[in-house]
Amino acid sequence: QLQLQESGPGLVKPSQTLSLTCTVSGGSISSGNYYWSWIRQHPGKGLEWIGYIYYNGNTYYNPSLKSRVTISIDKSKSQFSLNLSSVTAADTAVYSCARTGHSYFDSWGQGTLVTVTS
Amino acid sequence: EIVLTQSPGTLSLSPGERATLSCRASQSVRSSYLAWYQHKRGQAPRLLIYGASSRATGIPDRFSGSGSGTDFNFTISRVEPEDFAVYYCQQYDNSRMFTFGQGTKLEVK
């Protein structure tokens, strides 16, 4: 069974870069049938898709975050990562990784809370 | 960007009752690009329905989806105790954007 697990610091200072990693197990991150996404949920708010990466490194980002987001992949470690630069309190959220099929997310990690605070 | 509006915000029902959730889009959504998820606190969201009406693997048949264009519905024929959670609709559009509705909380009456 496919499992995704997010990891990274739970606290980030304003103006710094938020960095998270998603480790994929029970399936291949190199499958050409899927993309690998990051999604976040602000406290008490809805879900926001951040972007995705394909196994070959191709990426696509939410235009609202594009200038600050980088998603990368390390197939040897079965991991993909999120970097979000110049964070503010508005970036405080639960960040989740998910396997992305044709148009939906069929497996998710549990999510990790990242708080931006000085 | 296509905005999805879910209603009601909260639905209070007793086990055994029928639940009907609505998801309305600001623009027409291709049916094959509309999905529904269940999210329980502290757990990973779970894909229930994709393509507006197809159940994901292992999803009980009490869960169903319907609709087209800008109006989509999600139904639980008979609510079980484990079904109390937040439900989200989600769409994917031609600009390669994914957006979610704000969620409907299904709570015990």
Side-chain angles (χ1 to χ4, degrees):
Chain A
Q1 182 180 355
L2 187 77
Q3 291 190 327
L4 299 93
Q5 180 66 57
E6 305 87 354
S7 60
L11 294 175
V12 181
K13 289 181 166 39
S15 80
Q16 292 192 342
T17 296
L18 178 160
S19 296
L20 296 173
T21 296
C22 181
T23 301
V24 179
S25 58
S28 174
I29 201 171
S30 298
S31 170
N33 293 325
Y34 299 102
Y35 294 81
W36 303 92
S37 286
W38 285 98
I39 297 159
R40 70 181 182 180
Q41 184 170 26
H42 296 97
K45 300 288 182 62
L47 295 155
E48 179 181 32
W49 172 73
I50 298 169
Y52 63 54
I53 190 164
Y54 197 44
Y55 77 98
N56 63 2
N58 287 348
T59 55
Y60 193 75
Y61 303 134
N62 186 323
S64 69
L65 296 168
K66 183 179 180 180
S67 63
R68 298 194 292 129
V69 172
T70 302
I71 297 176
S72 58
I73 192 166
D74 186 338
K75 290 176 289 188
S76 67
K77 294 182 179 179
S78 201
Q79 294 177 334
F80 64 105
S81 298
L82 168 70
N83 278 356
L84 181 65
S85 65
S86 305
V87 297
T88 69
D91 295 306
T92 293
V94 173
Y95 287 77
S96 299
C97 54
R99 189 175 74 171
T100 309
H102 178 246
S103 61
Y104 51 81
F105 308 100
D106 65 356
S107 291
W108 298 60
Q110 275 196 296
T112 186
L113 175 62
V114 178
T115 302
V116 178
T117 179
S118 55
Chain B
E1 175 180 318
I2 296 179
V3 176
L4 299 177
T5 302
Q6 292 185 240
S7 62
T10 301
L11 183 59
S12 300
L13 294 173
S14 301
E17 292 191 290
R18 182 183 184 87
T20 302
L21 285 61
S22 173
C23 177
R24 179 162 289 178
S26 60
Q27 306 171 41
S28 185
V29 174
R30 290 179 61 175
S31 292
S32 58
Y33 294 168
L34 195 289
W36 290 89
Y37 302 86
Q38 177 191 68
H39 192 194
K40 296 180 181 179
R41 187 180 297 276
Q43 297 185 18
R46 177 189 181 196
L47 174 69
L48 301 176
I49 301 288
Y50 65 93
S53 60
S54 298
R55 273 186 297 276
T57 303
I59 301 304
D61 61 6
R62 66 179 182 275
F63 296 103
S64 64
S66 64
S68 63
T70 60
D71 291 298
F72 297 87
N73 288 318
F74 172 79
T75 300
I76 308 173
S77 58
R78 291 177 58 88
V79 174
E80 298 287 341
E82 63 267 27
D83 298 338
F84 292 101
V86 179
Y87 292 83
Y88 294 96
C89 58
Q90 169 257 311
Q91 70 83 36
Y92 175 71
D93 62 36
N94 291 334
S95 63
R96 293 192 286 174
M97 270 290 293
F98 296 87
T99 56
F100 295 85
Q102 81 281 16
T104 290
K105 181 181 181 181
L106 177 60
E107 66 175 22
V108 180
K109 186 174 182 179

